[in-house]
Amino acid sequence: MMKDLIWKKAGKGESADPAIMAFLAGEDVVLDKELLLFDLQASAAHVRGLQQIDILSAEESTRLLGGLQKIQQDIVSGSRELDSKFEDGHSAIEFWLTEMLGDIGGKIHTGRSRNDQVAVALRLYMKDRLAQVQSICVQIAEVLLARAATEGDIPMAGYTHLQSAMPSSVGLWLAGHAEAFIDNAELAVLTSQWLDASPLGTASGFGVNLKLSRQAVAEDLGFSRMVVNPQYAQNSRGKIELQALSVLSACTLDLRRLAWDLSLFMTREFGFVKLPARYCTGSSIMPNKNNPDTVELLRAVHGVVQGAQAELAAVLSLPSGYQRDLQATKPPLLRAFEKGLQALRLLPDLLGGIEWQVERMLESITPEMLATDLAMDKARQGVPFREAYKTVMDESKGISRDIVAQSIANRVSPGGCGQLETGLLRARLETLKN
Ligand code: ARG
């Protein structure tokens, strides 16, 4: 049974139809659990704002803040739960406050609506999750660069079109994936700055007839500015979420490619890499199998995020102002961040656990793969590159593998195997630590 609905007017006793109420709630109460701590944080800032403009007395404000703090502690300790008794997390907060403090509880909703309440909680949520994405991307890049520093010289066949191309190195592969996650950490920072605005105090989308201290409340919550226009506070719902998801999507896209590489490298045909047993599983029927399931499921996460992006975008065909459809933007957002972050968190340890099969990697470099370096050597000595290109193929056949390491070390164009420029990447990484 649902608690009394906060919008039920005195004297009007029409009871809610359970099937309709269940449909309206959807997954909302479950999802609001994730948002509840942010909602409580914003509610406290709102109380302080109301006190500033004398809507609440100091005593009322102290009592409300105490109540909010108690609710927060109870939620964290697990002694209080948001459940389907409530219409949503926003109503639950007011219900609990009123239960605890009496009529003063009903004062908290002065000057706000659930419309700006959910919008502010979501912006706080996205800032939090983007900060997590940022820090995990930094950790991933750190592991990759640390390994590039110690094992970067190990030769690895390089491929284009999945055909043998040139001798490359473990360092080039590692630093390449590191740069991707540095880019992603930066994208998280930029996107977080872009959505760093408080919609609180825009109420139902039209403002209120109170001189709310919106900017001070925004700063209290750690926002750098306010969403100025109340209509836009609602119209930006979903649009903001899509950008937050696009950051996650960039990460999981890079993750997918990395996972693809690993699953190929782990085949018998490549044989470049082994992963610790904890990442692999056996087959229920084929006793000989050792399958890279973790890597494969990591590869699948981008599909989850893409699905969420499509689902979210599909909701956003709406006129201006709050529409209840916007509630349907929450499930894809929350689901994608949960899955995406869970996957990304596995990466630092997994990448740290890669065991290079050095012998096998060297064997996979065939003499013709040195032809390009050979042609470039001649070009450096003045032979027109196109002429060198034509002659080296035959010469390369006789080349011994012993020169592979030298050939890789000589690739000194900035960023190349012999000049990875990890210093430049590190310098950028340092600026992205949060
Ligand atoms: N669950 C709602 C949402 O996510 C909260 C806002 C409800 N507002 C309303 N006017 N019914 O959009």
Side-chain angles (χ1 to χ4, degrees), residues 28 32 88 90 114-115 118 237 322 324 326-327 330:
D28 217 37
D32 279 2
D88 53 32
H90 322 302
R114 282 182 296 168
N115 296 355
V118 63
R237 260 191 90 184
Y322 179 79
R324 188 69 181 264
L326 289 168
Q327 178 172 300
K330 283 193 293 191

Side-chain angles (χ1 to χ4, degrees), residues 37 67-68 70 98 108 113 128 152 182 209 221 233 265 276 280 313 362 409:
L37 292 175
L68 288 168
K70 171 84 176 77
T98 310
I108 193 168
S113 150
D128 176 85
I182 292 170
N209 45 344
L221 285 170
F265 292 170
C280 304
L362 199 54

Side-chain angles (χ1 to χ4, degrees), residues 372-417:
T372 310
D373 283 340
L374 215 64
M376 216 66 73
D377 279 342
K378 286 182 190 282
R380 200 175 44 224
Q381 285 151 23
V383 181
F385 178 77
R386 192 51 59 212
E387 196 181 314
Y389 177 95
K390 286 174 189 152
T391 56
V392 289
M393 230 359 231
D394 284 342
E395 289 173 36
S396 69
K397 296 214 167 87
I399 289 177
S400 135
R401 272 214 190 84
D402 299 348
I403 73 153
V404 166
Q406 196 53 50
S407 171
I408 291 169
N410 286 348
R411 205 90 51 69
V412 290
S413 57
C417 296

Side-chain angles (χ1 to χ4, degrees), residues 126-295:
M126 285 182 268
K127 281 179 63 178
D128 176 85
R129 294 306 190 262
L130 288 174
Q132 290 188 33
V133 168
Q134 176 193 349
S135 92
I136 297 167
C137 286
V138 166
Q139 285 170 40
I140 293 169
E142 290 215 303
V143 173
L144 290 163
L145 288 180
R147 295 204 70 166
T150 53
E151 303 148 297
D153 294 340
I154 299 173
M156 180 194 258
Y159 299 84
T160 67
H161 312 262
L162 268 185
Q163 306 288 322
S164 302
M166 290 171 66
S168 184
S169 69
V170 159
L172 189 117
W173 185 85
L174 290 166
H177 287 296
E179 192 166 356
F181 282 95
I182 292 170
D183 261 2
N184 296 337
E186 187 168 343
L187 195 58
V189 173
L190 295 173
T191 306
S192 188
Q193 284 167 1
W194 177 76
L195 59 78
D196 190 16
S198 170
L200 190 55
T202 56
S204 46
F206 311 98
V208 290
N209 45 344
L210 290 174
K211 197 111 187 90
L212 295 175
S213 32
R214 289 198 55 213
Q215 178 63 29
V217 171
E219 282 165 27
D220 183 351
L221 285 170
F223 286 107
S224 62
R225 59 181 195 281
M226 16 171 212
V227 182
V228 178
N229 185 283
Q231 174 179 274
Y232 183 61
Q234 290 309 316
N235 290 1
S236 61
R237 260 191 90 184
K239 170 184 161 185
I240 305 294
E241 282 82 342
L242 269 182
Q243 288 306 315
L245 276 188
S246 77
V247 177
L248 191 62
S249 176
C251 298
T252 56
L253 184 68
D254 289 324
L255 167 60
R256 179 166 76 177
R257 203 185 290 264
L258 193 149
W260 245 124
D261 286 356
L262 288 177
S263 71
L264 281 176
F265 292 170
M266 287 172 74
T267 58
R268 187 170 58 81
E269 288 72 11
F270 275 82
F272 290 0
V273 153
K274 279 197 177 136
L275 271 188
R278 63 183 178 279
Y279 291 111
C280 304
T281 64
S283 156
S284 59
I285 180 170
M286 299 172 282
N288 55 318
K289 292 305 294 289
N290 184 34
N291 299 323
D293 297 38
T294 315
V295 169

